Amino acid sequence: MREVAIVAFAQTRHTGHDTGLSEPELILPVINEVKERTGLRRFGFTCSGSCDYLAGAPFSFVSALDALGAWPPISESHVEMDAAWALYEAWVRLQHGDLDSALVYGFGKSSLGDLRTIMTLQLDPYYLAPLGLDQLSYAGLQASALGAEREELAEIVRRSRADGRANPYALDLPDPEGDDGLVAPPVTDGAAAVVLAAGDLATRLTSSPAWISGLAHRIEPHYLGMRDLARSASAADAARAAGVGKGPVEVAELHAQFAHEEIILREALELTGDTVINPSGGPLAANPVMATGLIRIGEAAQRILDGRNHRTVAHAAGGPCLQHNLVTVLEG
Amino acid sequence: MPSDPLVAQHVLEFPGGYTRTTGPVVGRFLSELRARRLVGVRTAEGRVLVPPLEYDPATGEPVTGEYVEVGPAGTVTAWTWVAEPLAAHPLDGPFAWALIELDGADTALVHAVAAENVKAMETGMRVWPVWRDRPTGHITDIEHFAPEVTKIVSPVRAEYRLQAGGSLRVFLEGVARGVLLGGRCERCAKVYVPYRASCPECGGIIADTRELPDTGTITTFAINNLPDPRAPEVPFVSAYILLDGADIPMIALVADVPAHEVRQGMRVKAVWVPESERTASMANIRWFAPTGEPDVELS
Amino acid sequence: MGNRCAVIGVGQTHYTTRRRDVSIAGLVREAAVRALEDAGLTFKDIDAVVIGKAPDLFEGVMMPEAYLADALGAAGKPMMRVHTAGSVGGSTALVGASLVQGGVHDRVLVVAFEKQSESNATWALSTHLPFNASLVVGAGGYFAPHIREYMRRTGAPGHIGTLVAVKDRLNALKNPYAHLRIPGIDQKMVESTPMLWEPIRYLETCPSSDGACAMVLASEPAVTGTPAWVHGTAMRSEPIFRAGRDTVSPQAGKDCAADVYRQAGITDPRRQIDVAEVYVPFSWYEPMWLENLGFCAEGEGWKLTESGATALDGDTPWNASGGVLSSNPIGASGLIRFAEAALQVRGMAGEHQVDGARTALGHAYGGGAQFFAMWIVGREKL
């Protein structure tokens, strides 16, 4: 495969409430930031990820184009998925060999609606959605299938929120009170952007590109009773295909919206105790839905861009109960 | 009629109803029915009769003793619509009588099909029994058949709390004061309205607002003959209006002129609601109306 | 362009107002299984699945690729979901092709669908958010003014739109999958239908359909059956609110065509492209796109339509399948254009086959005519 690297990453200072900015206004600063950082004004390919049901209107991505300065017209596409998959599409496009750069961005405002019930709408429309099964409830089913120790889960939440408090982009959340069990990810508005560059261009743009040495994703059956919820077979497959185990993993940024998902993912990715998990705080500290997965990749890449690490892994998820998983391996 | 002394009503009804013995075959069928199962009986030739008889109707030979569970669903092979049901009919509203070949049967059962209307009936359609609450061992233990479930109604509702922020808030606050605010991209030398934070062409920031007049020129338009929530009366004209001093048209209604007299190049001016009725919304502008100035030559 | 890519299987459902007999999964499977059968393959032979559709509000299922993953045999495989407004069907094909061209996969199943009858397209497309800065936009009210402007600029006579409306529906009579099959369709019938959004008449608009379309795409070593080779692929987008934007002949469409022609070695589209499947949801978009796509000079599109050049027996047939004017499951409409182009160069278009078609254009557009997706397919390898 052609050598492709992440050369710039930017994210908003995410908020736990609606600031009233429109989607284009939300993404404008991060687009401008990666443009400035790379000095690139135009990109060979552009791809974004977002979701109409988050915005409450069809074609929520259309107006976002107005923030890009997309003139003359640009080669551009959009996935109705987390923007991590937009990055995947852009990475594939760079494999053709005729283009050298790509802009990827994602945005989401989960403050506008009730994410817990909006996520019901992604379920099977005959057997599951009519039951009103909500995000917290199906996550609860998965937690029950896993049967993790309550203290272990609580510790993951405490660690994530503490790391989040140290991360200027994440939310400033207190330790959870009491012992209420399942802790939901916070309501978050935010956006993120990444620039990919291939070959020589990557080394010209930055002294320490975060090379994508592996990138793969897999989906598994949808119905919750037709797969083993205690494991993530698709995450394990994606990790193997991306080559996670080919070297030590210093840091892993995991798209775990619930504490038990982190435990399932650590096992699927075969991460050892030496790997630092979600030093950014992860989705439990900031969860701008549809950008959360891309931010995992950006955070993992940033550590290489900064020279802090040599080999990091990022994971993004989609669908209920970790149905769809994408794994990226980044190397300095 | 009752007034005619030589006319009388006559009822012939055995008090309490006839008591009938079923024999083994019909009895088996009705007993199975009471248990909400449907069975047929196999003939010597191997056909399955439903409802079962003690004999093969084709040959008169006795049937075998083999009972076969059939259905519960079946296929309509013939039907007739009853628009006005009789008192004895199993259903009070319009319904169909149908020949129903239950799955696994070689003959058809006669029963009622409750369908929404006659259009919902067709030969070949699939139907399922709807059972009486307390079956007693009677053919009416099946209240009626109903069309196979082919659709469900799924209410999908998501609620949002939206606010106008950023540049939209700036624009709508202007509208509340009766002013249309735009902004100029210095790099592209283009004036945008409504006011926006960045230039769609170059991505540059548009820092300042500027007031634009509420007069402009129709660049092009549609005459709509389908009503819209904002314009319930047809025909109505929706037009692209280039405000004076702006470089991009806004879409707005045009009125106070017959639809077919609207022209490309026509000069128009906003018609505002009275100041006392204004809110921070575009509803402040009822529509644009012709000014009477000469048309503008379009390039 | 990357590695060679070919279409080796095409599958379509019948397009109709309401497919009462199938679930959403059943609908997409019908197209997918037919595409696999055409390629002589099964789900096991597929490396990845790409699915596209227009807004999720149509079916009220958010990100339905999650629910549809197993229905399309994607368990254990990569799956992507594309959404680029009306051009999405085309973009879905291009994302699938990209996976092959990028050397990532050998066989990719692409599927696009819409089951519009689950709700109502007009509702789904005109869900106005509060605080709109615009006064009103009816559904067709958006495109009608651009058509009016085209007529003003070119002086096209008013009957041109009806010619396209008749021509595409005559073609539809030869396409067993088409939704609108109107025996005896003629200019008089079109002209007798009411103006919905003047200058657009009822029969000059596309229907609202249920349906799905699928293709199997393969790398060169993985080709089975009859291939249609992909000669070029391109997408272009432009911002809807750019001052001075030409909404009659958008720059993004011109740039997209120029890009795809360059890759395919096309310098004279009218002569070199044997048949074109172009996204024409309102009849007037045929002459408009004839110009935008460089089939003639600016201002001449309506003359080409009037001359009969775009008819099935003309020298540059457009929408031999009946086009979007005859079948419009929105999210699939673009993919159907791309698939019909492939069928033509594979010689498998049946009654609406254009004799000897060797090179074909598939085209889709969306949004406010601001998103474009195109490909050129050919009988021979490029």
Side-chain angles (χ1 to χ4, degrees), chain C:
Chain C
M1 269 241 356
N3 297 351
R4 280 205 180 99
C5 174
V7 180
I8 58 169
V10 172
Q12 302 185 63
T13 66
H14 288 94
Y15 306 115
T16 181
T17 307
R18 277 188 194 84
R19 277 297 301 271
R20 291 178 210 269
D21 59 324
V22 288
S23 63
I24 295 171
L27 187 74
V28 297
R29 281 174 61 81
E30 204 172 293
V33 167
R34 283 180 185 152
L36 288 167
E37 279 170 4
D38 184 10
L41 302 173
T42 68
F43 282 121
K44 279 202 299 291
D45 302 306
I46 297 298
D47 301 325
V49 180
V50 182
I51 189 163
K53 70 177 299 298
D56 292 353
L57 274 64
F58 281 151
E59 291 84 10
V61 184
M62 167 176 155
M63 301 192 280
E65 65 281 2
Y67 145 66
L68 289 169
D70 11 339
L72 291 168
K77 297 172 188 172
M79 186 169 191
M80 301 279 292
R81 158 69 193 289
V82 182
H83 179 12
T84 61
S87 66
V88 61
S91 307
T92 304
L94 297 187
V95 172
S98 177
L99 289 166
V100 173
Q101 293 168 319
V104 179
H105 295 302
D106 282 320
R107 288 200 186 107
V108 177
L109 175 67
V110 298
V111 186
F113 77 100
E114 209 67 73
K115 202 154 182 299
Q116 294 188 212
S117 67
E118 304 257 318
S119 69
N120 175 300
T122 305
W123 170 80
L125 292 175
S126 51
T127 317
H128 288 304
L129 289 172
F131 319 118
N132 207 312
S134 142
L135 271 184
V136 69
V137 194
Y142 183 82
F143 287 109
H146 305 323
I147 291 170
R148 181 185 297 276
E149 173 64 7
Y150 172 77
M151 294 165 78
R152 186 190 70 84
R153 277 193 210 173
T154 63
H159 71 280
I160 299 299
T162 65
L163 297 179
V164 180
V166 171
K167 185 255 303 175
D168 282 5
R169 272 54 172 269
L170 285 174
N171 292 349
L173 289 170
K174 297 175 186 291
N175 177 0
Y177 293 113
H179 176 176
L180 287 189
R181 297 161 59 83
I182 310 170
I185 177 90
D186 61 9
Q187 225 176 316
K188 226 172 104 189
M189 191 191 291
V190 177
E191 280 165 5
S192 72
T193 61
M195 283 285 186
L196 299 187
W197 308 282
E198 195 174 326
I200 304 175
R201 288 180 192 282
Y202 176 72
L203 269 182
E204 292 180 275
T205 67
C206 52
S208 185
S209 316
D210 283 356
C213 179
M215 283 193 283
V216 180
L217 307 176
S219 67
E220 189 170 3
V223 164
T224 56
T226 313
W229 295 96
V230 176
H231 289 186
T233 60
M235 304 184 193
R236 283 296 184 282
S237 311
E238 68 180 44
I240 189 168
F241 290 121
R242 190 185 72 85
R245 184 167 103 88
D246 185 351
T247 50
V248 171
S249 189
Q251 190 64 39
K254 292 181 190 172
D255 290 1
C256 193
D259 189 3
V260 80
Y261 293 163
R262 178 186 53 75
Q263 294 169 44
I266 286 171
T267 51
D268 181 352
R270 181 171 172 194
R271 195 176 52 79
Q272 289 173 274
I273 293 172
D274 299 314
V275 51
E277 282 284 339
V278 177
Y279 204 100
V280 176
F282 301 105
S283 59
W284 279 93
Y285 269 86
E286 176 175 299
M288 288 162 74
W289 291 151
L290 276 165
E291 297 173 26
N292 189 250
L293 290 169
F295 277 64
C296 59
E298 244 168 63
E300 305 284 313
W302 64 270
K303 295 176 189 162
L304 209 54
T305 292
E306 193 177 39
S307 75
T310 55
L312 195 49
D313 58 0
D315 68 69
T316 188
W318 271 37
N319 293 322
S321 67
V324 180
L325 280 174
S326 304
S327 312
N328 185 36
I330 294 184
S333 291
L335 192 65
I336 299 167
R337 308 279 69 72
F338 280 50
E340 284 284 349
L343 283 174
Q344 288 285 351
V345 299
R346 294 168 83 210
M348 296 169 77
E351 256 195 274
H352 62 282
Q353 176 71 45
V354 171
D355 283 343
R358 311 185 79 78
T359 305
L361 166 69
H363 163 283
Y365 85 96
Q370 57 181 143
F371 298 105
F372 291 84
M374 301 178 197
W375 81 4
I376 301 276
V377 285
R379 183 170 295 189
E380 285 90 25
K381 285 181 209 168
L382 191 64

Side-chain angles (χ1 to χ4, degrees), chain A residues 18-21 25 28 32 41 52-56 66-71 112-114 118 121 125-126 130, chain B residues 152 154-168 187 196-205:
Chain A
D18 180 13
T19 60
L21 292 184
E25 289 168 344
L28 183 67
N32 285 341
R41 302 297 302 172
D52 284 350
Y53 264 110
L54 268 190
D66 286 335
L68 303 187
W71 190 262
L112 302 181
D114 176 18
I118 285 174
L121 304 180
Y126 309 97
Chain B
I152 56 172
S154 221
V156 170
R157 176 188 165 86
E159 281 188 34
Y160 304 87
R161 199 185 69 90
L162 304 177
Q163 59 165 321
S167 54
L168 181 58
R187 197 180 311 169
R196 53 187 310 124
S198 70
C199 171
E201 176 162 333
C202 71
I205 305 289

Side-chain angles (χ1 to χ4, degrees), chain A:
Chain A
M1 303 310 290
R2 192 174 183 215
E3 293 283 294
V4 172
I6 292 172
V7 294
F9 166 59
Q11 60 182 319
T12 50
R13 286 174 189 266
H14 313 307
T15 60
H17 64 278
D18 180 13
T19 60
L21 292 184
S22 66
E23 279 84 356
E25 289 168 344
L26 194 63
I27 63 174
L28 183 67
V30 296
I31 300 290
N32 285 341
E33 195 176 331
V34 293
K35 279 182 178 173
E36 273 164 33
R37 213 169 286 167
T38 57
L40 297 176
R41 302 297 302 172
R42 302 271 298 169
F43 304 90
F45 186 68
T46 299
C47 197
S48 62
S50 69
C51 171
D52 284 350
Y53 264 110
L54 268 190
F59 309 117
S60 62
F61 59 93
V62 168
S63 64
L65 206 58
D66 286 335
L68 303 187
W71 190 262
I74 60 172
S75 179
E76 186 255 2
S77 187
H78 172 262
V79 294
E80 190 84 350
M81 308 174 83
D82 188 287
W85 276 269
L87 182 139
Y88 181 83
E89 184 178 329
W91 173 82
V92 171
R93 184 62 189 81
L94 291 178
Q95 296 304 321
H96 295 202
D98 57 334
L99 303 174
D100 292 330
S101 66
L103 171 67
V104 178
Y105 63 94
F107 55 95
K109 293 172 71 171
S110 65
S111 66
L112 302 181
D114 176 18
L115 190 67
R116 180 175 172 183
T117 51
I118 285 174
M119 282 298 179
T120 301
L121 304 180
Q122 70 170 331
L123 299 175
D124 174 310
Y126 309 97
Y127 296 142
L128 293 176
L131 294 174
L133 186 68
D134 63 279
Q135 186 197 27
L136 204 58
S137 302
Y138 60 67
L141 286 176
Q142 186 167 37
S144 158
L146 178 66
E149 294 294 330
R150 187 160 278 216
E151 184 43 41
E152 187 184 4
L153 297 171
E155 177 51 34
I156 289 171
V157 176
R158 275 196 297 272
R159 189 206 70 222
S160 300
R161 289 196 168 175
D163 286 341
R165 289 193 291 270
N167 173 359
Y169 301 101
L171 303 185
D172 211 5
L173 298 168
D175 282 338
E177 286 170 31
D179 191 19
D180 297 341
L182 209 57
V183 173
V187 168
T188 315
D189 289 4
V194 161
V195 175
L196 297 180
D200 293 344
L201 179 63
T203 45
R204 281 210 303 279
L205 293 177
T206 169
S207 55
S208 53
W211 297 101
I212 297 173
S213 71
L215 179 54
H217 66 103
R218 299 284 187 275
I219 199 164
E220 58 190 277
H222 177 70
Y223 198 79
L224 306 180
M226 296 183 190
R227 53 183 159 119
D228 181 357
L229 286 184
R231 297 173 56 246
S232 180
S234 57
D237 285 352
R240 268 191 295 278
V244 170
K246 287 180 187 165
V249 179
E250 295 164 54
V251 167
E253 281 283 341
L254 305 178
H255 192 167
Q257 296 182 82
F258 296 89
H260 64 271
E261 293 183 347
E262 180 181 311
I263 298 172
I264 293 170
L265 290 168
R266 279 201 309 245
E267 189 190 312
L269 272 59
E270 297 179 18
L271 300 176
T272 66
D274 297 335
T275 301
V276 178
I277 309 281
N278 286 350
S280 67
L284 281 163
N287 187 36
V289 179
M290 309 316 278
T292 307
L294 181 67
I295 291 170
R296 304 281 72 72
I297 300 175
E299 289 279 5
Q302 193 63 50
R303 302 187 72 88
I304 291 171
L305 290 167
D306 293 347
R308 277 180 289 174
N309 292 104
H310 299 289
R311 191 167 189 274
T312 61
V313 163
H315 159 270
C321 297
L322 300 173
Q323 187 195 351
H324 196 180
N325 296 278
L326 178 145
V327 176
T328 315
V329 180
L330 297 153
E331 294 183 7

Side-chain angles (χ1 to χ4, degrees), chain B residues 38-50:
Chain B
L38 289 156
V39 296
V41 69
R42 199 178 292 283
T43 67
E45 276 84 37
R47 299 204 316 145
V48 175
L49 305 180
V50 180

Side-chain angles (χ1 to χ4, degrees), chain B residues 8-86:
Chain B
Q9 193 183 21
H10 171 61
V11 175
L12 186 63
E13 182 182 29
F14 179 61
Y18 294 92
T19 51
R20 301 191 197 286
T21 53
T22 60
V25 177
V26 174
R28 173 71 180 262
F29 175 74
L30 294 177
S31 298
E32 296 277 1
L33 208 55
R34 192 175 55 193
R36 293 186 175 167
R37 281 191 300 267
L38 289 156
V39 296
V41 69
R42 199 178 292 283
T43 67
E45 276 84 37
R47 299 204 316 145
V48 175
L49 305 180
V50 180
L53 303 174
E54 291 156 56
Y55 42 81
D56 184 336
T59 63
E61 293 294 323
V63 294
T64 68
E66 184 192 348
Y67 289 89
V68 180
E69 187 158 355
V70 297
T75 303
V76 170
T77 60
W79 57 276
T80 182
W81 189 248
V82 181
E84 293 174 12
L86 307 179

